[in-house]
Amino acid sequence: GDSVTQMEGPVTLSEEAFLTINCTYTATGYPSLFWYVQYPGEGLQLLLKATKADDKGSNKGFEATYRKETTSFHLEKGSVQVSDSAVYFCALYNNAGNMLTFGGGTRLMVKP
Amino acid sequence: DAGVTQSPTHLIKTRGQQVTLRCSPKSGHDTVSWYQQALGQGPQFIFQYYEEEERQRGNFPDRFSGHQFPNYSSELNVNALLLGDSALYLCASSLVRGSYEQYFGPGTRLTVT
């Protein structure tokens, strides 16, 4: 079945540091890929998406590129802020399953 | 534009009891999916409803059941609660065309004692 693997956290960075959170996936066909963010005590917010190979999703300074050859969708941001502290989830959607499959989440902590 | 809403926010139940959680989708959406998120883990798909029918189901026992109403709102019912059912239950809405783009509600925190 489909699966998503993300780097384990927590990831602790200083403000303005560069962020990378690794995500790889296993899926049949051509899934769509997503990053969701979850702030403490809240539900999930869609951060960015990519629906086909080589697409780059971007939002609020975050970027991720759909790499089919390496089955990866790594999240990057050039300069993190304290307000980016949250849990980040990588996910895929496979049309055959009509559902999102999530990774285990990566907690990011940004210190001033 | 109202987003996805869920009720109640928190709930405490005893083992063996039954619980009903409610979800109202984002305006214009016709499909509702439910997910279970255990503490420290990623959400797990329970099922999806469209046109008042269960469209897809994840690997959850029959104790988990659902319903979708004509106004697209939905309920999740869990019978014979177990301690392991303690989790954050998330509802997500989407359009059946393009249901890959799902919008989540704030969740209901269920604690089973």
Side-chain angles (χ1 to χ4, degrees):
Chain A
D2 297 345
S3 66
V4 176
T5 302
Q6 6 181 164
M7 60 188 290
E8 291 191 15
V11 174
T12 304
L13 296 173
S14 297
E15 208 165 20
E16 299 184 3
F18 185 86
L19 169 70
T20 299
I21 299 178
N22 290 337
C23 170
T24 58
Y25 68 90
T26 302
T28 55
Y30 303 94
S32 297
L33 301 176
F34 304 86
W35 278 99
Y36 282 85
V37 58
Q38 187 173 38
Y39 297 100
E42 297 185 11
L44 300 177
Q45 297 179 24
L46 177 62
L47 182 58
L48 55 84
K49 68 179 187 290
T51 58
K52 61 183 186 298
D54 300 325
D55 268 2
K56 177 185 282 189
S58 61
N59 185 27
K60 300 180 181 180
F62 291 90
E63 293 183 339
T65 301
Y66 188 163
R67 301 289 190 197
K68 187 167 176 61
E69 64 277 12
T70 55
T71 61
S72 64
F73 193 55
H74 304 321
L75 182 67
E76 297 182 336
K77 186 176 185 182
S79 176
V80 294
Q81 305 300 312
V82 172
S83 57
D84 293 328
S85 298
V87 181
Y88 292 80
F89 291 94
C90 184
L92 69 83
Y93 186 92
N94 195 322
N95 285 336
N98 292 320
M99 65 183 191
L100 285 166
T101 299
F102 286 88
T106 302
R107 179 175 300 278
L108 170 66
M109 296 189 295
V110 181
K111 297 184 175 181
Chain B
D1 178 20
V4 180
T5 60
Q6 293 186 241
S7 63
T9 305
H10 296 89
L11 204 52
I12 299 174
K13 290 286 188 178
T14 303
R15 276 178 299 175
Q17 286 188 317
Q18 179 264 344
V19 68
T20 297
L21 311 181
R22 295 175 177 83
C23 171
S24 291
K26 181 179 168 66
S27 178
H29 284 183
D30 55 12
T31 302
V32 173
S33 303
W34 286 92
Y35 294 81
Q36 180 195 66
Q37 185 181 16
L39 196 61
Q41 297 183 22
Q44 299 288 319
F45 175 76
I46 303 174
F47 41 54
Q48 183 180 87
Y49 276 83
Y50 170 67
E51 290 189 332
E52 303 178 48
E53 297 285 337
E54 185 181 285
R55 188 172 179 231
Q56 193 75 30
R57 188 179 184 92
N59 188 26
F60 278 80
D62 291 344
R63 298 187 297 109
F64 290 77
S65 63
H67 189 76
Q68 186 180 33
F69 299 93
N71 67 353
Y72 308 118
S73 67
S74 176
E75 288 182 350
L76 164 66
N77 300 293
V78 187
N79 294 323
L81 284 167
L82 305 174
L83 293 179
D85 294 332
S86 295
L88 181 67
Y89 288 85
L90 295 165
C91 169
S93 74
S94 57
L95 291 168
V96 69
R97 293 184 179 180
S99 53
Y100 60 84
E101 191 155 337
Q102 300 187 5
Y103 292 83
F104 284 80
T108 293
R109 172 72 64 187
L110 173 65
T111 302
V112 182
T113 62

